[in-house]
Amino acid sequence: MLNSLPVSGFERGFRVMLSHESVLLDASLDALNIRGDGVYVDATFGRGGHSKALLERLDDAGRLVVFDQDPEAQAVAQGWMRQEARLALEPFNFSHLYKSIEARGLIGQIDGILFDLGVSSPQLDDAQRGFSFGKDGPLDMRMNPLAGFSAADWVAHTSYDDMRRVLREYGEENNAGRIARAIERAREQAPITTTLQLAELIERAVGGRRGKRIHPATRSFQAIRIAVNRELDVLAEVLPQALDVLRPGGRLAVISFHSLEDRIVKQFLRAQARPPAPDPVSPAPPARVRQVTRRLCDEAEAQRNPRARSAVLRWAEKCA
């Protein structure tokens, strides 16, 4: 058990990382209705906050499979696995959920799956990852910095129309056109390669802060991160996979922080709970989920952990 592990230098390091409070921790574990001998999936391991608490509720027969595409998160999970036989790592984006669970021979045997969407606190805090404009660093923003194209690539090659669309749709940015035009002009003069370059460019494009409570680049950075990592597309792809791998009575729980993420989850669960008939004369297919539930963080958690303020937990149970 993780609680009884000896504290090596490596373990002290990742326990520091676990000091970031996991959002809606108790609520999400309660939503999974954990059985001691069950098989569970943490599809977004991060630094293991939810996984650690989930393992504490499992007995010796329980198993936990975790997914993460971030090499730093994988290193934490691999460190745990050296002394935690109940834990298994799939070092992939959670879009590989069905394929990985199938390879383990566990299709239809998973008791619960948890998704904690978005970027993790350690990723935001590390300037070298390029997620935040609070500290200058390379303009990267990839969840897996070893794969795909970076945010610097995105701002270098994306057309004005696509930039404007992404900033407006994913960032709900009212100044999307002005910011996209500013990026287009700036990159003609020199590459935009750091977070501070981009943040200052956006601030100038919208006329400075002028008493704004949040930095003018906040929405744009969010939008670019979502685009670089295909976060909304991947979420829409994985939700049907999650239902396919769950056993009847298994639970799916999703914590989202962005209204677009939450809308995808809400619409998916609603459609699975009340599937439409294929045509006016055909009966509707049976529901695939029941007990669709929504939960927000309370004021006490929001004060302890400001990141939780926008969090929404939705969960449902797969029908027999």
Side-chain angles (χ1 to χ4, degrees), residues 92-112:
F92 307 112
N93 180 283
F94 56 59
S95 62
H96 291 253
L97 177 67
Y98 187 93
K99 184 184 299 184
S100 296
I101 297 303
E102 182 180 40
R104 292 180 176 275
L106 293 173
I107 296 296
Q109 299 179 47
I110 303 299
D111 293 283

Side-chain angles (χ1 to χ4, degrees), residues 37 58 62 71 139 141 159 204 214 259 263 312:
D37 61 350
L58 297 180
L139 189 59
M141 299 195 196
S159 69
R204 291 194 301 271
I214 63 171
S259 60
R263 188 178 307 153
V312 180

Side-chain angles (χ1 to χ4, degrees), residues 132-149:
S132 173
F133 46 80
K135 303 173 184 176
D136 196 24
L139 189 59
D140 196 312
M141 299 195 196
R142 289 172 292 176
M143 301 291 189
N144 180 358
L146 304 178
F149 58 88

Side-chain angles (χ1 to χ4, degrees), residues 171-250:
E172 300 172 306
E173 173 55 70
N174 293 330
N175 295 300
R178 190 182 301 177
I179 293 169
R181 188 67 72 195
I183 291 172
E184 186 179 52
R185 290 171 179 163
R187 72 190 183 188
E188 292 175 356
Q189 305 302 315
I192 303 167
T193 59
T194 73
T195 55
L196 190 58
Q197 273 182 285
L198 181 59
E200 290 178 345
L201 185 158
I202 294 170
E203 188 171 356
R204 291 194 301 271
V206 302
R209 302 194 186 190
R210 292 182 297 187
K212 294 183 175 70
R213 289 185 300 170
I214 63 171
H215 193 286
T218 301
R219 294 179 183 276
S220 296
F221 268 61
Q222 172 183 273
I224 294 169
R225 187 205 83 215
I226 290 172
V228 165
N229 294 287
R230 296 185 58 247
E231 292 176 35
L232 301 182
D233 293 337
V234 170
L235 176 60
E237 292 168 9
V238 78
L239 291 173
Q241 297 180 41
L243 283 191
D244 288 342
V245 305
L246 283 171
R247 68 167 178 81

Side-chain angles (χ1 to χ4, degrees), residues 13-72:
F14 74 70
R15 288 187 183 185
V16 168
M17 289 186 280
L18 285 176
S19 64
H20 296 279
E21 182 178 353
S22 297
V23 171
L24 289 166
L25 178 61
D26 290 336
S28 59
L29 297 183
D30 290 344
L32 293 176
N33 193 30
I34 295 169
R35 297 169 38 216
D37 61 350
V39 183
Y40 293 87
V41 172
D42 182 350
T44 46
F45 178 76
R47 293 303 183 269
H50 287 101
S51 288
K52 180 175 184 292
L54 204 157
L55 283 165
E56 289 171 350
R57 298 194 183 192
L58 297 180
D59 59 31
D60 290 343
R63 296 172 65 187
L64 176 62
V65 180
V66 301
F67 285 74
D68 211 296
Q69 62 185 321
D70 186 330
E72 294 180 6

